[in-house]
Amino acid sequence: MADVLEIIRCSNFAAIKHKDQRRKDEEKTPYINHPIGVANILTEEAGIADVAVIQAALLHDTVEDTDTTFEEIQALFGEEVTGIVKEVTDEKNLPKLVRKQKQIEHAPHASYKAKLVKLADKLYNLRDLNRCTPVGWSQERVTEYFQWAHKVVEGLKGTNQPMEDSLQQLFKERNIV
């Protein structure tokens, strides 16, 4: 029961933090759908029941995209969850291309739990790109995102076969190998 309470408390926190944000699709989908979807991929498809991993999935974009601090996450959800979130958080003060390159370089060295969150995040985002193109994105930009994501995922291999198989299928459909 305590695990359920922690996940719901974490979901509520993420929902409050992302309440005014929308995805970049034409429907302007509520942003909170993304972290919940990442957590759902982990539980439903990847077979992950580790509470810290699920909490980190729910929180993985809060520091990047809201006023949340690592100190706040630490105080509310503990050291382990904070550590995973830190590993998957981009440094927003860096230029976009530098951040993307750092993700590629960091992927093979991430902890197992951070790799799980990263794989689920990439899987969610690529499926979302297949579902609809974000407003203002060209097909070339979508292809570039898939190519970059493939490089990140290459560094995460050996982490979770079901997610890796799903990602490989998406790459295959786009002729990215």
Side-chain angles (χ1 to χ4, degrees), residues 24 96 129 133-139 141-142 145:
K24 295 175 184 174
K96 182 178 174 181
L129 281 174
T133 303
V135 174
W137 280 41
S138 65
Q139 277 308 308
R141 184 170 176 190
V142 171
Y145 187 93

Side-chain angles (χ1 to χ4, degrees), residues 8-21:
I8 295 300
R9 188 169 69 88
C10 189
S11 299
N12 186 61
F13 177 86
I16 290 167
K17 289 295 187 171
H18 291 295
K19 71 180 173 59
D20 296 324
Q21 296 175 319

Side-chain angles (χ1 to χ4, degrees), residues 5-175:
L5 294 174
E6 284 305 305
I7 290 171
I8 295 300
R9 188 169 69 88
C10 189
S11 299
N12 186 61
F13 177 86
I16 290 167
K17 289 295 187 171
H18 291 295
K19 71 180 173 59
D20 296 324
Q21 296 175 319
R22 300 279 180 252
R23 295 285 279 181
K24 295 175 184 174
D25 56 13
E26 285 188 18
E27 297 92 24
K28 296 187 180 352
T29 308
Y31 191 85
I32 191 62
N33 292 9
H34 171 65
I36 291 171
V38 170
N40 189 63
I41 287 170
L42 286 164
T43 58
E44 292 293 317
E45 297 178 48
I48 303 302
D50 184 302
V51 174
V53 172
I54 303 310
Q55 287 179 296
L58 291 165
L59 299 170
H60 79 274
D61 280 338
T62 56
V63 174
E64 269 182 50
D65 297 341
T66 75
D67 62 357
T68 306
T69 64
F70 290 121
E71 293 76 21
E72 189 176 7
I73 293 173
Q74 171 106 17
L76 292 169
F77 304 106
E79 188 175 322
E80 183 180 18
V81 172
T82 305
I84 299 166
V85 173
K86 278 183 181 178
E87 284 192 79
V88 299
T89 298
D90 285 347
E91 297 174 51
K92 287 296 250 194
N93 60 328
L94 296 174
K96 182 178 174 181
L97 291 177
V98 173
R99 288 194 317 261
K100 287 179 156 281
Q101 184 60 37
K102 283 181 88 80
Q103 276 197 43
I104 294 166
E105 292 168 2
H106 174 70
H109 309 290
S111 69
Y112 169 72
K113 292 181 180 189
K115 286 179 178 183
L116 288 170
V117 173
K118 186 61 80 174
L119 280 169
D121 182 39
K122 290 293 175 257
L123 184 52
Y124 184 97
N125 284 336
L126 294 175
R127 285 176 175 165
D128 212 34
L129 281 174
N130 272 345
R131 182 182 64 81
C132 66
T133 303
V135 174
W137 280 41
S138 65
Q139 277 308 308
E140 180 181 341
R141 184 170 176 190
V142 171
T143 299
E144 287 171 359
Y145 187 93
F146 267 84
Q147 291 168 335
W148 165 74
H150 183 263
K151 291 176 185 172
V152 175
V153 168
E154 284 295 303
L156 303 170
K157 280 191 172 178
T159 303
N160 182 275
Q161 203 59 54
M163 285 193 292
E164 291 171 43
D165 290 347
S166 294
L167 284 157
Q168 288 311 312
Q169 183 59 40
L170 290 170
F171 296 135
K172 185 178 175 185
E173 291 167 6
R174 294 273 179 160
N175 294 316

